[in-house]
Amino acid sequence: MTAVGPVPLDEIRAAQRRISDLIVRTPLVRLNTDDAPAEIYLKLENLQPSGAFKLRGTVNAIRLADEKQLERGVWTVSSGNMALSLAWAARHFGLDCTVLVSDDAPEAKLSAIARLGAKTIKVTWAEVLEIARVRGREGMEGVFLHPFSDPAVMAGNATVGLEIVEDLPDVDAVVIPYGGGGFAASVASAVRALRPQA
């Protein structure tokens, strides 16, 4: 799989099977409001054990990773949902986990990452961006899971789109948050494959 272009539907379906024992199939709940311009549904990914959709991608990527490389642990660069999700998954699988965080990361996030058993290393924002750009850092060991452009992470995260269309087959539009773009592209891949008119 490549990170260029849509995530193939068969890889999304395979990821759905691969992660189903650890991931909550989150509900799609109608927003209770009378003044919306349309019916709006919310996908409650905050109900995942890590509190975020990124757990889907981390579990998928770990299950696809080379076991020998996993012996050296996993790592990422994030001070948010990817960090918490990878820390949760690493604890579940008994893996060492290191998270490179920006030097201004909030203490609440750092404490949550530590409670899950991951080690944090503070770096500057410039280094965070450089690691994301070059996809690695000298001296780090183990499997690097890119927070938004790792193909295995994207396939796992795309299962959100698969579930939306399964639960709401006539969906007209899906509004997706955009950070690095990986989640938006992943969900869009699933929705486009199953409901191209959306």
Side-chain angles (χ1 to χ4, degrees), residues 28-43:
L28 197 59
V29 177
R30 188 171 188 276
L31 182 63
N32 187 15
T33 183
D34 293 329
D35 59 351
E39 280 190 10
I40 298 172
Y41 291 82
L42 305 174
K43 183 80 167 140

Side-chain angles (χ1 to χ4, degrees), residues 127-144:
E127 190 169 1
V128 166
L129 297 173
E130 180 65 9
I131 292 165
R133 187 182 69 75
V134 301
R135 306 183 64 82
R137 180 181 192 234
E138 186 83 25
M140 294 299 296
E141 291 193 2
V143 176
F144 174 58

Side-chain angles (χ1 to χ4, degrees), residues 26 49 65 71 85 93 105 115 124-125 131 160 162 174 186:
T26 57
E71 290 175 5
S85 295
F93 290 110
R115 278 194 305 277
T124 66
W125 260 112
I131 292 165
V160 169
L162 197 62
V174 179
S186 300

Side-chain angles (χ1 to χ4, degrees), residues 100-124:
L100 278 65
V101 300
S102 63
D103 51 13
D104 63 350
E107 189 54 45
K109 292 278 190 182
L110 298 175
S111 296
I113 295 166
R115 278 194 305 277
L116 290 168
K119 180 174 86 171
T120 57
I121 298 173
K122 289 186 176 183
V123 296
T124 66

Side-chain angles (χ1 to χ4, degrees), residues 13-25:
R13 290 190 191 283
Q16 186 180 43
R17 291 187 298 276
R18 196 175 294 116
I19 67 178
S20 65
D21 63 327
L22 289 180
I23 301 304
V24 174
R25 184 180 174 110

Side-chain angles (χ1 to χ4, degrees), residues 42-111:
L42 305 174
K43 183 80 167 140
L44 302 184
E45 284 298 295
N46 59 312
L47 299 177
Q48 294 297 347
S50 68
F53 71 87
K54 291 201 180 222
L55 187 60
R56 294 169 180 266
T58 59
V59 169
N60 190 53
I62 288 171
R63 287 201 163 141
L64 286 172
D66 179 84
E67 287 185 30
K68 200 74 174 153
Q69 287 183 321
L70 284 174
E71 290 175 5
R72 296 181 305 176
V74 291
W75 71 281
T76 194
V77 56
S78 167
S79 57
N81 293 332
M82 182 64 172
L84 293 169
S85 295
L86 185 58
W88 187 96
R91 183 180 69 177
H92 175 82
F93 290 110
L95 303 171
D96 289 334
C97 179
T98 302
V99 180
L100 278 65
V101 300
S102 63
D103 51 13
D104 63 350
E107 189 54 45
K109 292 278 190 182
L110 298 175
S111 296

